[in-house]
Amino acid sequence: MRQRATRDQQRLDSGAITSPKDLENLQREIVSLAKRQGDLEDIVLEVMERRESVQERVAELTERVSSVQGKVDDATARRDAAQEEIDGEAASVTKEREVVAGSVPDDLLKLYEKLRVQQGGVGAARLFQRRCEGCQLELNITELNDVRAAAPDTVLRCENCRRILVRTSESGL
Ligand SMILES: [Zn+2]
């Protein structure tokens, strides 16, 4: 279009066109081409501005994605570390339990396992200050007297919840 305008202008300047009507047409075309060129330049400018704004938005979103990804990576690493710690603890507790279980007579261990299943995971409870820590009930006088009279190796049971009662120096006997 610019070439055409230049060509028109050259023809006008050359003086080759002498007819007033042709001259007028040529001038009109030059004006019209100039206007169209101006319009196109405006459009190009607008497109460039929009492209710039889109590029800014892309950069902003890319940065946000990378920041969120960083947080995800961080959380994943912490979760994995925690999982590893839990696994390690579970392994060591399992080993400890095996050692303890090895020193418990078979029939007592069987009773304990049965109670543990029946009593929501707690098969034995400490007798603490005359109270069964399994069901939290205090033993009555008769029960306490029975506990006091029992030999140290007798397996005692809570009359209320039936759990194995474990005597300690804090049992309040
Ligand atoms: Zn109890």
Side-chain angles (χ1 to χ4, degrees):
M1 206 177 63
R2 202 173 284 145
Q3 280 170 1
R4 190 167 159 195
T6 311
R7 208 174 55 228
D8 283 353
Q9 191 63 50
Q10 279 166 352
R11 281 174 68 202
L12 189 71
D13 293 344
S14 71
I17 294 155
T18 47
S19 150
K21 197 166 179 255
D22 287 349
L23 278 173
E24 202 186 307
N25 284 342
L26 201 54
Q27 274 171 334
R28 199 177 298 138
E29 192 178 290
I30 287 169
V31 170
S32 148
L33 283 172
K35 189 186 176 302
R36 273 177 63 195
Q37 189 179 339
D39 290 349
L40 284 175
E41 279 170 359
D42 286 349
I43 289 168
V44 168
L45 209 63
E46 198 188 306
V47 167
M48 279 168 67
E49 276 170 5
R50 275 172 55 195
R51 192 180 64 177
E52 206 170 297
S53 125
V54 165
Q55 279 170 341
E56 273 170 24
R57 184 96 181 107
V58 166
E60 192 187 307
L61 288 175
T62 305
E63 201 182 302
R64 274 173 61 191
V65 165
S66 130
S67 145
V68 167
Q69 188 58 54
K71 282 180 191 160
V72 168
D73 291 349
D74 188 49
T76 305
R78 277 186 290 142
R79 185 204 59 192
D80 291 350
Q83 187 63 57
E84 210 170 295
E85 201 177 312
I86 289 166
D87 288 348
E89 207 176 310
S92 108
V93 168
T94 303
K95 205 171 279 175
E96 274 173 43
R97 189 189 185 281
E98 274 168 21
V99 171
V100 172
S103 69
V104 175
D106 280 352
D107 53 346
L108 182 55
L109 196 61
K110 232 174 254 176
L111 173 66
Y112 167 76
E113 290 294 355
K114 194 180 86 181
L115 289 169
R116 196 163 76 99
V117 172
Q118 288 171 354
Q119 301 290 346
V122 181
R126 186 168 64 148
L127 178 62
F128 183 73
Q129 292 175 3
R130 304 178 184 185
R131 195 180 295 274
C132 163
E133 285 195 323
C135 63
Q136 306 301 331
L137 278 193
E138 196 171 327
L139 274 64
N140 65 36
I141 296 289
T142 315
E143 288 162 355
L144 280 171
N145 284 335
D146 288 347
V147 170
R148 284 185 189 113
D153 61 348
T154 302
V155 175
L156 299 170
R157 307 276 297 275
C158 170
E159 292 296 327
N160 180 56
C161 69
R162 305 304 299 152
R163 287 186 178 94
I164 296 164
L165 272 181
V166 179
R167 283 168 285 180
T168 72
S169 58
E170 293 174 312
S171 291
L173 299 172

